[in-house]
Amino acid sequence: MSQIVKMRDVRFGVELFENYHSMTALDDLLCSYKGLPKGVNYMIIGDPGVGKTTVILDLIANITRHTKGARVLFISAEMNEIDLAIYVKRYPKFGNLDIMFVEADFEGEKKHLQEIEEVLEKGWDIVAIDSFHELQSIIKEEEDISMRLAETKLLSLIKKHNKAENATNTNTTFLTIQQVTKKGSFAGTNRLKHMITAMMELRLDNPKNVYSDRFVVFSKHRRGDVGVKLYYNLSSKGDVFFDEERYQQELQLRNLQKDVSTQIRDFANQFDNLFNKEMK
């Protein structure tokens, strides 16, 4: 039976609401009070070739750089050591990250789910997964279970560590890359969609042109705004470049649109009141 509580009686430590900071413009999008919150789940989707893995690796590498003692783990179910070596060559700071490689075991000897459970039990501040679907598929094959049950096991594991049920009592935040449909839409189930705090989308201005401008935008966000675009590019070495000036212009335009909408709504209300008085 579910427990009934009043939120005024629920207590959290103040440290739970002290966010992690990457010290880039992305912090403004991640949360209304800046930075990446603790104990939450962000799903990342996007157009092919838009740089989802690069942006997430850049984010967690920056957080470890600016947050003393931050424990961050990258679980790679898409790429092996050779694949990631190319990323490290372009972005040397990625070489300092703790990485767990999860590859399909065709001989059937490994049980990666058990290994992941043991690793997560140590307690991590942030865990990034690339990708949820690939990890789910590997667990399905190794455990000889359905995709739905594999999803259940992963979601239960994520929820457990969100709530700090690990050896260090750490409220773990998960950044999970997810595959999309051919039309670029979220490919997960409703259970997975409801589990997440925010949906971060990495998009191209022109999806048919991989060289067109790239931007980050949230389509779902319990901790911040949706619909605000932050443009970025991957052309420079060492760091992902976020166009803060363009972002500020986007915010100004958005605020201007809100002001105009409010003025129109106020004018309409005044007209309705005047019309109703005349009718009486």
Side-chain angles (χ1 to χ4, degrees):
M1 182 177 178
S2 298
Q3 185 180 4
I4 298 175
V5 300
K6 294 183 187 296
M7 285 305 299
R8 69 188 183 195
D9 299 326
V10 180
R11 297 287 181 266
F12 296 105
V14 293
E15 67 279 358
L16 180 60
F17 302 99
E18 296 172 355
N19 292 354
Y20 303 108
H21 295 95
S22 67
M23 306 306 288
T24 70
L26 185 56
D27 286 342
D28 292 325
L29 271 190
L30 289 172
C31 182
S32 59
Y33 47 98
K34 283 195 176 185
L36 183 65
K38 298 178 180 179
V40 298
N41 303 308
Y42 282 29
M43 187 70 69
I44 299 91
I45 65 172
D47 300 316
V50 78
K52 296 182 290 295
T53 303
T54 304
V55 169
I56 294 308
L57 285 172
D58 184 77
L59 170 62
I60 62 177
N62 285 335
I63 288 174
T64 59
R65 177 187 292 177
H66 297 292
T67 307
K68 186 178 180 180
R71 288 173 49 78
V72 174
L73 175 68
F74 181 68
I75 299 178
S76 177
E78 294 273 353
M79 296 183 290
N80 58 27
E81 295 91 333
I82 298 174
D83 296 325
L84 270 172
I86 304 301
Y87 284 75
V88 174
K89 187 174 182 180
R90 188 172 183 81
Y91 303 93
K93 62 186 177 183
F94 295 175
N96 297 321
L97 294 171
D98 288 318
I99 301 175
M100 180 180 185
F101 291 97
V102 179
E103 298 182 68
D105 179 23
F106 300 107
E107 296 180 0
E109 297 178 357
K110 281 196 172 183
K111 293 293 184 182
H112 282 107
L113 179 59
Q114 181 179 345
E115 291 181 352
I116 292 171
E117 289 173 339
E118 292 172 354
V119 169
L120 292 185
E121 180 58 28
K122 298 176 182 179
W124 299 83
D125 295 303
I126 304 168
V127 175
I129 300 174
D130 183 17
S131 65
F132 186 92
H133 183 270
E134 189 61 32
L135 187 57
Q136 180 183 357
S137 298
I138 290 172
I139 290 173
K140 169 191 177 296
E141 293 298 325
E142 292 182 351
E143 301 291 326
D144 192 22
I145 55 179
S146 67
M147 283 292 281
R148 181 177 176 82
L149 185 52
E151 179 188 73
T152 298
K153 288 181 176 294
L154 279 175
L155 292 182
S156 297
L157 192 59
I158 288 172
K159 185 176 181 180
K160 170 186 174 182
H161 291 280
N162 285 157
K163 294 187 174 184
E165 296 175 7
N166 48 55
T168 57
N169 298 318
T170 301
N171 294 97
T172 306
T173 285
F174 286 83
L175 302 171
T176 311
I177 296 173
Q178 176 63 318
Q179 295 180 356
V180 296
T181 65
K182 291 182 179 180
K183 293 183 179 180
S185 302
F186 176 67
T189 65
N190 285 332
R191 290 196 306 168
L192 181 56
K193 187 180 295 184
H194 294 321
M195 180 83 170
I196 62 177
T197 306
M199 177 77 74
M200 179 195 290
E201 300 192 18
L202 276 60
R203 298 297 185 184
L204 298 166
D205 269 342
N206 180 0
K208 295 182 179 179
N209 179 8
V210 72
Y211 299 106
S212 65
D213 288 347
R214 298 167 164 87
F215 61 88
V216 181
V217 65
F218 280 88
S219 55
K220 171 186 175 179
H221 211 332
R222 293 174 182 162
R223 296 292 182 98
D225 291 330
V226 298
V228 181
K229 296 179 180 180
L230 171 60
Y231 283 85
Y232 66 94
N233 70 61
L234 311 174
S235 59
S236 59
K237 291 185 178 181
D239 296 286
V240 174
F241 172 75
F242 293 99
D243 194 338
E244 188 167 359
E245 182 177 351
R246 192 171 179 180
Y247 171 70
Q248 292 300 330
Q249 293 172 352
E250 176 87 8
L251 281 181
Q252 291 174 6
L253 178 60
R254 185 181 177 89
N255 291 332
L256 181 61
Q257 291 172 335
K258 285 182 179 179
D259 291 341
V260 171
S261 296
T262 300
Q263 291 173 11
I264 293 175
R265 191 161 52 248
D266 290 343
F267 178 78
N269 289 335
Q270 291 173 16
F271 178 82
D272 287 342
N273 293 333
L274 180 62
F275 180 78
N276 290 334
K277 288 180 180 179
E278 291 180 353
M279 289 294 291
K280 290 179 180 178

